[in-house]
Amino acid sequence: MLRNCCRFSSSLVVALLVVAAPSAFAANSDIRLNSVGYQPARMKVASVLTTSATAFSVRSAIDDSVAFAGTLSGNVVDAVVAQSGRRLDFSTLTTPGTYYLDVPGVGRSPNFVIGDGALNEAYLLSMLGLYGWRAGSQVTVTWKGTTWHHGAGHLRDGLLDYLGQVGVTREATHGWYDAGDYNKYVVNAGVTLGMLLKAWEEHSATLSGVPLWLPEQGGKFPDYLDEIKWELDWLLPMQYSAADGRVSHKLSGLDFSGFVPPAADCPAHYYAPYGTAATADFVAMLAEASRAFTPYDAALATTYLDAAKVSYAWLVKNPANHDADLSAFKTGGYGTTDPDDRAWAAAEMWETTGDAAALKDFETRITGMGAKGVAATFDWGDVADLGVVTYLRSPRSGKAPAVVSALKTAVVGAANGLVANHDASLYGRLMPNHWWGSNGVLARSCLVLNAANEVTPNARYAEVCAAQVDYLLGRNQYGRSQVTGIGVAPPMFPHDRRSGSDAQGAPYPGYLVGGGSSATNWSDIQASYETNEIAINWNAALTYALAGAVTPSAAAPSFEAVTDAPSSCGAVTTGGTTGTGGTTGTGGTPNTGGTFSGNTDGTPDVIDDLEDGDLAVLPQGGRKGRWYVFDDGTTGTTTGPLSSADGANKSKHSVEVISRGFTVWGGGVGVQLNKDGAAAWQTYDASQYTGLRFRIRTKTATPSTFSLMLVSAQTQPESKLCTSCFDHFLATVQATADWQEVILPWSAFRQQGFGSPLSARVEPSALYALQWQWGAGQTVDFELDDVAFARGPSPVAQGGAGGVSATGGKSGHPITTAGNGGAAGAASGADSGQVLGGGCNCRTSRSGSELGGLLVAFALGLSLLRRRTGR
Ligand code: 9MR
Ligand code: 9MR
């Protein structure tokens, strides 16, 4: 029985019972809590999916002794997430230690810490995330013994064509990549730096004493400001010029690039035309930053302020909203009108300079915005709150009392609404809505709560902010951390081009994913950019929410870079004057024709070509078996495996599977390699082959991503060889509307890193089956054909030819154009780093027998254990 992990055969169930019996390690995912830690004085509330348990205790993880005993709340019916449960409150337990919750009748929770520095690690990680996003620099991230590294990318930014200077470049390296993509957007930098600078203004006394993992560690600036400076260094050249205050809306490729490392992402980046929202955000960021940097470098602070002044003066002269013309670009829009951005800019200009005209500008604008002047929840499109908070906190004189009073009332009203939402939610979430990026919104509203607390001190405001941190670290409808690298079962497959193109199984750590865009649709698969991407504005909000919980730590992470990897984008010349005559090379051949040298004898060893119209494998090479489907046991549907009415290469049949609606980890289709009817599964020795090849296409409107997993004795529990099973070696496969042949050498398969990771190599001598899996929430209708073993020398991808260097550029930045010089071909040979799906966050619906429910609980515990020990 090899159906991944959730529909168990009886023999496997017995094995699980034996293995999982001691409750000591089987954390129950029905207990949802911040699984990282709590400061002693703060609120500590968890949620339990039970409508019957009444008592709980908090026990020492060292000796199981009871540190606190309490009673659960009555039932909380949370219509937003369609879950019912009870809350438990152990806020009065303040003794430092490592604990777990024990809820008789439910189980135990993961361990967590109570202590002053309990959230330091989460804070350090969210800052590490920013560092890891640095553009124009090699990046080395080391966290808990694992190192992620990429060479410097995007050193050739960027072309001024859309600013009317065709072929002219201007350096704009630095900055953080926006998100899972490699572009940089001024509007989103606004809310990002706005929140980071607010955290600095509130907590610089603490934050300046906390070393961060970055190359400038311990230098002239506090580490926190060094990280911020990386972004500011990019922003300055986004201004048209010192004489023209307009600010380019973004620096971006014309379209999103593929999942390649930064140094292999070569398409030209362009400065986009200006917009007034971006221009105003630029003013606000630089004026605010000028204050932060003044104590450390007055000249730099003046540079920032001078740039802000030029753009502010331009805005004053040009009061009409102007949307950036982004018609040439398919990348992120961040389109927004400017009233809120202009208000924020005016507030920061006033606070930095004391300019009475700026004060008047702010007050007029914020009053004109009416109820929109203060928002309970906000994001990049709605930054007035940043200005309001600066204004209310300002010690400067001259404020209009009526404006102050109206804003105070509005801030408190907004915060009270958040408290009410929090109280209605089983998980303490401060708003019922879910949309793209709403995880970030939750953390960001801590600004509103903190501001209300300053106006009308009330402990509940701090509690609601703390509850958002809890939500993001695991007290949520998924029972999973939303931050890579920390907490229980954190995201493993964020939509992140760096993580998706490197050789590490685990993603870069320290990233808050966007979260469900509906109450139930968060999906930990790379393809789900709407729910599982990462973004700087979300991390900045998380940093803000955590900053107040940080205690100075003595242990400094010591920065050590690994050797840089060379960029494959061609040489970069720096330091000269900008060439003017260069034109973009046009001769680059796209890398669509990757070819492989496998099967040199021309006869792929076919496992099944489906042409006989049945679902048994071809009886050759000693193979026996059939196609089968499997799923996570939730209430989705799968049709198939079907013998389709058409196949690849105009053949008669393929195998087709249609599926939708699985919510935990999805499902898959597999093919057995050595199973004779009802007899037990046997392994198949494929060591004479060098890999796999098959054809795939999707019939859905958009491309679909699958994980091809090798179910082998290394990772399959029934083999009794593995101790932490189901961490199958896998490779990611993209299916598009057209049939594509995919060829994968064994070296392309990797484990995703839970359980006890094996040696890096898959052992093809003992395969049970091949499984193509899809993820939770994924709707699939796809076909496979000509599934075969590859033979001959290990396949080698051949990229397209290089592009042609521009001629005519003088010194400075000759524009060397694309041509990925042998990077990934369309066949996925070189695209092996990404791993997808396959985790075993098993869950079966509770509708089965009581015994079934029990077994599920054990399975869950085991799966959590695997995930935890794999971190
Ligand atoms: O990868 C892109 C991600 O960063 C964006 O947030 C998202 C929405 O704009 O788009 C993603 O790119 C996808 C594109 O929109 C459509 N083709 C597939 C791309 C990669 O998944
Ligand atoms: O965070 C942005 C979200 O609010 C928008 O709804 C969404 C669609 O416009 O875009 C998100 O921003 C993406 C940006 O456009 C491109 N880089 C990735 C960002 C995060 O998904």
Side-chain angles (χ1 to χ4, degrees):
M1 171 64 209
L2 297 169
R3 300 185 172 191
N4 201 307
C5 54
C6 291
R7 288 185 174 170
F8 295 103
S9 70
S10 53
S11 64
L12 181 53
V13 160
V14 171
L16 275 174
L17 281 171
V18 172
V19 175
S23 67
F25 59 65
N28 187 298
S29 71
D30 283 352
I31 306 176
R32 288 159 183 200
L33 76 169
N34 162 354
S35 58
V36 175
Y38 306 82
Q39 290 172 289
R42 95 205 268 282
M43 175 212 71
K44 306 175 196 77
V45 177
S47 306
V48 190
L49 289 184
T50 179
T51 50
S52 57
T54 53
F56 75 95
S57 56
V58 185
R59 291 173 182 269
S60 159
I62 311 296
D63 61 10
D64 298 318
S65 61
V66 174
F68 179 89
T71 308
L72 271 68
S73 73
N75 290 338
V76 180
V77 180
D78 189 328
V80 173
V81 294
Q83 290 177 350
S84 297
R86 298 183 168 195
R87 301 188 183 109
L88 57 80
D89 188 333
F90 54 106
S91 302
T92 55
L93 175 60
T94 56
T95 314
T98 304
Y99 302 96
Y100 63 91
L101 299 173
D102 179 19
V103 186
V106 180
R108 61 166 288 171
S109 75
N111 292 345
F112 57 84
V113 167
I114 294 179
D116 280 335
L119 288 166
N120 280 11
E121 188 171 289
Y123 163 79
L124 289 175
L125 257 187
S126 72
M127 290 304 293
L128 185 64
L130 291 177
Y131 163 70
W133 255 315
R134 286 187 182 192
S137 166
Q138 75 97 11
V139 160
T140 304
V141 166
T142 296
W143 185 252
K144 305 220 157 157
T146 300
T147 295
W148 291 258
H149 171 76
H150 63 76
H154 308 95
L155 294 166
R156 301 174 305 163
D157 293 344
L159 284 153
L160 294 168
D161 293 30
Y162 296 99
L163 272 49
Q165 300 175 61
V166 175
V168 180
T169 60
R170 177 189 290 174
E171 182 170 352
T173 54
H174 296 77
W176 301 307
Y177 296 126
D178 183 58
D181 61 331
Y182 291 141
N183 305 298
K184 299 184 284 198
Y185 309 82
V186 173
V187 165
N188 200 37
V191 74
T192 301
L193 280 186
M195 291 302 293
L196 290 172
L197 288 165
K198 288 284 182 290
W200 179 252
E201 288 160 10
E202 292 172 34
H203 305 291
S204 61
T206 325
L207 300 185
S208 58
V210 178
L212 299 175
W213 173 272
L214 34 78
E216 301 85 1
Q217 191 182 86
K220 172 176 179 183
F221 301 106
D223 293 353
Y224 188 91
L225 291 186
D226 271 315
E227 196 51 61
I228 285 179
K229 183 171 178 293
W230 193 268
E231 181 79 346
L232 293 165
D233 286 349
W234 158 63
L235 274 172
L236 286 171
M238 295 303 284
Q239 189 177 50
Y240 275 21
S241 75
D244 183 343
R246 293 176 292 173
V247 173
S248 168
H249 185 82
K250 63 181 175 182
L251 182 69
S252 161
L254 296 181
D255 200 352
F256 289 113
S257 52
F259 273 67
V260 298
D265 183 43
C266 305
H269 279 201
Y270 296 88
Y271 286 81
Y274 85 101
T276 46
T279 302
D281 292 341
F282 175 94
V283 171
M285 286 183 267
L286 286 160
E288 191 169 7
S290 173
R291 301 199 298 274
F293 281 83
T294 295
Y296 307 98
D297 185 336
L300 181 66
T302 303
T303 303
Y304 291 159
L305 184 56
D306 287 347
K309 282 178 176 167
V310 170
S311 289
Y312 185 62
W314 188 91
L315 285 171
V316 169
K317 273 204 206 104
N318 296 272
N321 178 72
H322 174 83
D323 294 336
D325 173 5
L326 302 179
S327 51
F329 296 86
K330 292 189 177 130
T331 53
Y334 291 117
T336 171
T337 53
D338 69 13
D340 53 304
D341 308 86
R342 285 180 184 257
W344 179 33
E348 300 304 344
M349 283 303 289
W350 168 62
E351 178 62 357
T352 305
T353 64
D355 173 12
L359 171 61
K360 183 95 179 87
D361 189 14
F362 171 77
E363 289 179 335
T364 307
R365 289 186 176 281
I366 205 75
T367 306
M369 287 180 73
K372 287 188 180 161
V374 173
T377 57
F378 67 101
D379 204 339
W380 53 266
D382 204 4
V383 290
D385 281 3
L386 294 168
V388 168
V389 172
T390 295
Y391 173 81
L392 288 179
R393 285 178 178 165
S394 173
R396 289 190 181 279
S397 60
K399 292 187 244 187
V403 177
V404 171
S405 146
L407 291 177
K408 284 184 172 174
T409 305
V411 165
V412 171
N416 290 346
L418 299 176
V419 173
N421 291 340
H422 162 276
D423 293 351
S425 160
L426 176 58
Y427 299 113
R429 203 170 178 277
L430 59 63
M431 65 171 182
N433 320 58
H434 292 76
W435 61 76
W436 191 326
S438 48
N439 274 346
V441 175
L442 302 180
R444 198 174 298 112
S445 279
C446 284
L447 179 70
V448 178
L449 292 159
N450 289 347
N453 204 22
E454 289 158 25
V455 174
T456 310
N458 179 342
R460 301 240 44 217
Y461 298 138
E463 283 179 19
V464 175
C465 172
Q468 308 318 300
V469 170
D470 295 347
Y471 178 93
L472 299 174
L473 293 178
R475 185 192 167 201
N476 56 48
Q477 60 266 48
Y478 306 101
R480 290 183 59 180
S481 169
Q482 300 287 287
V483 183
T484 61
I486 194 167
V488 168
M492 289 298 288
F493 309 104
H495 187 86
D496 171 33
R497 282 164 174 72
R498 294 160 308 147
S499 301
S501 61
D502 70 4
Q504 284 293 1
Y508 276 69
Y511 294 102
L512 177 62
V513 298
S517 56
S518 79
T520 54
N521 75 345
W522 173 58
S523 183
D524 184 18
I525 58 170
Q526 179 181 288
S528 182
Y529 52 76
E530 194 171 333
T531 75
N532 209 33
E533 190 160 355
I534 61 176
I536 55 173
N537 53 323
W538 310 336
N539 257 62
L542 178 66
T543 298
Y544 177 87
L546 289 166
V550 175
T551 52
S553 67
S558 72
F559 183 84
E560 205 183 316
V562 306
T563 314
D564 207 348
S567 164
S568 54
C569 295
V572 185
T573 308
T574 53
T577 56
T578 301
T580 51
T583 56
T584 303
T586 51
T589 313
N591 279 323
T592 51
T595 57
F596 287 83
S597 59
N599 296 88
T600 45
D601 60 359
T603 54
D605 207 310
V606 181
I607 298 167
D608 199 7
D609 64 3
L610 285 309
E611 288 310 279
D612 51 14
D614 70 27
L615 294 166
V617 304
L618 294 179
Q620 58 187 34
R623 292 183 290 273
K624 313 175 191 68
R626 297 187 64 78
W627 289 88
Y628 59 94
V629 293
F630 56 97
D631 58 62
D632 63 20
T634 54
T635 53
T637 55
T638 299
T639 310
L642 305 165
S643 170
S644 78
D646 55 359
N649 277 349
K650 302 200 172 76
S651 66
K652 277 185 292 184
H653 300 291
S654 63
V655 61
E656 180 172 3
V657 180
I658 304 163
S659 177
R660 64 165 64 234
F662 292 100
T663 54
V664 177
W665 53 257
V669 58
V671 63
Q672 302 157 344
L673 296 172
N674 190 8
K675 180 159 172 17
D676 200 356
W681 297 68
Q682 305 289 336
T683 58
Y684 179 77
D685 182 355
S687 55
Q688 61 172 307
Y689 305 110
T690 54
L692 287 166
R693 53 197 301 164
F694 57 93
R695 298 179 204 273
I696 187 167
R697 74 160 166 185
T698 180
K699 297 170 121 177
T700 50
T702 51
S704 217
T705 304
F706 299 88
S707 308
L708 172 52
M709 306 209 177
L710 303 179
V711 182
S712 77
Q714 288 172 296
T715 57
Q716 179 61 28
E718 286 188 329
S719 72
K720 301 194 172 62
L721 288 179
C722 56
T723 51
S724 296
C725 295
F726 295 124
D727 186 4
H728 301 318
F729 283 83
L730 60 84
T732 304
V733 174
Q734 271 265 357
T736 60
D738 296 322
W739 280 107
Q740 289 181 55
E741 182 165 35
V742 178
I743 308 181
L744 296 164
W746 298 129
S747 62
F749 291 84
R750 295 175 202 277
Q751 288 183 292
Q752 65 179 28
F754 62 82
S756 314
L758 304 160
S759 59
R761 281 178 52 79
V762 68
E763 179 43 72
S765 64
L767 302 181
Y768 286 99
L770 314 175
Q771 293 184 167
W772 288 257
Q773 287 189 213
W774 56 88
Q778 200 174 341
T779 296
V780 301
D781 180 353
F782 73 113
E783 296 178 327
L784 296 165
D785 204 351
D786 301 332
V787 178
F789 287 113
R791 284 201 274 152
S794 207
V796 175
Q798 292 171 1
V804 180
S805 291
T807 52
K810 297 276 188 302
S811 56
H813 292 265
I815 306 155
T816 312
T817 302
N820 290 350
S828 318
D831 186 23
S832 60
Q834 169 56 16
V835 291
L836 186 80
C840 189
N841 188 10
C842 318
R843 189 184 173 100
T844 310
S845 72
R846 290 299 170 85
S847 55
S849 68
E850 210 182 318
L851 176 65
L854 192 68
L855 300 174
V856 166
F858 280 119
L860 268 167
L862 194 65
S863 100
L864 283 170
L865 176 75
R866 276 198 302 276
R867 286 174 171 275
R868 283 166 65 75
T869 52
R871 299 296 316 149

